[in-house]
Amino acid sequence: MKQNKWSKILSTAVILISVAAVLVIVFTSQELDNAWGVLASLNPFWLLACIACYAVYVYAEGGGLCAFLRMEGYRVKWSTATHFSFAGIYYANITPSSTGGQPMQVYLMNQRGVPGGIATSALTARYFFNQLALVLMTVVLWVLNGEFALQQTGHVHGLIILGCVINFFTVPLVILVMLNRKMVEKFVCWVIRFLARHKLCKRPEEKIERGMKAVANFHESLFDLIHHPLHLLIQFVISVVEMTALMLVPVFVFYALGQSGTPWYQILTVAYMLFVSASYTPLPGASGAQEGGFLMYFRGIFADNVLPVALLVWRFVTYYLCLLVGAGDQVYSSLRKRRKPIDHQEKDETQTNKENA
């Protein structure tokens, strides 16, 4: 309990420090004489485009969850799946290494009647395709804009390569876990018995039985996805749209500040490179790495006298706005009455109805 308390305090402190650091950078920059004036001159159309990108990012993740759960026979609404998405993004951004997002999503889906194994497989599939899309898009854009990428980020290519390796590592790892059900079952049993030996888990045999059922649901639902090529394609396309929407924010910030001289696709390339090289930082929202990386990667793209403001606007849309909206969504959800479970149609029945149709 104390550890959880201190973890929350640390996460809050890191977020507040990152906010303070960005404000200090903006309002004490020697190159920037009038920060408020630059902020007031922002083009509202492109600012709305930035916010629209954030909305597409969140709703695309909700759409991916919705598509997976419907494949498993759960008649979930897109709005409900997007609520799970909001919760996951919010808790991922306030916990170190994004560790709090998926557990909270599993908890919320389980409250609505989705078994833990199904919820975990849905989130695993989304994570798999997001990482795959992130790395592939980074590599493709890097190759297509090689000369510009070398000029802009040549001094940190090692960090970008390391980021690609770390992010791509999860792709074969998910496949390995999916193909080795016995290994997963042994690991679950070991964890439960370890906790029981240290008096952290009661009725271990009952927990093991429930754990085996969750593992069975997890593997069956992932194999369902493999046996539906169209669903595989849908999930991948959703991930490409989701990641690209997030990476387009610096492009629209560039236009909002009235900047010119760099094509949008080159800015998009740098945005992907920044994300892939900073995302593995073990701090809430990759704080520090994201801010420092932005100033380093986008120097020369944004004029020096507007770069700090670009950092503030970009970070607000991609991080602080997420915290505000996510917190609001959680408060709104807690004030509403308990919602009924999501209707579930057995897969056999679903298949029969499709055949009859």
Side-chain angles (χ1 to χ4, degrees), residues 132-328:
L132 182 62
L134 171 63
V135 175
L136 287 181
M137 289 295 293
T138 302
V139 172
V140 168
L141 288 170
W142 194 349
V143 171
L144 293 177
N145 300 278
E147 185 177 347
F148 173 80
L150 180 63
Q151 175 186 346
Q152 194 67 30
T153 62
H155 54 298
V156 290
H157 269 188
L159 292 177
I160 298 171
I161 293 172
L162 178 62
C164 287
V165 171
I166 292 175
N167 283 279
F168 186 75
F169 176 74
T170 58
V171 174
L173 182 62
V174 169
I175 295 175
L176 178 65
V177 169
M178 185 178 65
L179 296 177
N180 288 270
R181 177 172 172 176
K182 289 184 178 180
M183 180 185 71
V184 177
E185 290 176 341
K186 289 180 180 179
F187 178 74
V188 171
C189 289
W190 180 84
V191 170
I192 293 174
R193 290 190 174 120
F194 175 82
L195 295 174
R197 282 199 303 271
H198 291 80
K199 298 182 180 180
L200 298 173
C201 174
K202 298 180 180 180
R203 299 186 295 276
E205 296 306 320
E206 179 183 332
K207 295 292 193 305
I208 289 175
E209 183 178 351
R210 290 169 57 187
M212 293 304 100
K213 184 177 180 181
V215 170
N217 289 334
F218 172 79
H219 280 81
E220 287 173 8
S221 57
L222 284 181
F223 273 104
D224 282 343
L225 182 61
I226 292 176
H227 294 144
H228 292 79
L230 180 59
H231 281 286
L232 287 171
L233 179 61
I234 289 172
Q235 291 292 339
F236 179 70
V237 170
I238 287 174
S239 289
V240 171
V241 171
E242 177 182 341
M243 300 310 300
T244 301
L246 187 64
M247 304 309 155
L248 279 172
V249 173
V251 178
F252 295 146
V253 172
F254 183 80
Y255 294 143
L257 286 166
Q259 300 290 284
S260 61
T262 306
W264 67 270
Y265 52 85
Q266 291 183 345
I267 302 174
L268 184 66
T269 302
V270 176
Y272 265 103
M273 288 180 162
L274 170 59
F275 191 90
V276 80
S277 61
S279 59
Y280 56 86
T281 305
L283 289 174
S287 297
Q290 292 280 13
E291 291 86 351
F294 187 93
L295 293 175
M296 184 186 303
Y297 285 37
F298 285 97
R299 185 170 297 279
I301 294 177
F302 290 91
D304 290 343
N305 63 336
V306 299
L307 181 61
V309 173
L311 166 64
L312 176 62
V313 177
W314 166 76
R315 198 56 171 153
F316 175 80
V317 173
T318 59
Y319 186 51
Y320 307 136
L321 180 63
C322 167
L323 299 181
L324 293 173
V325 176

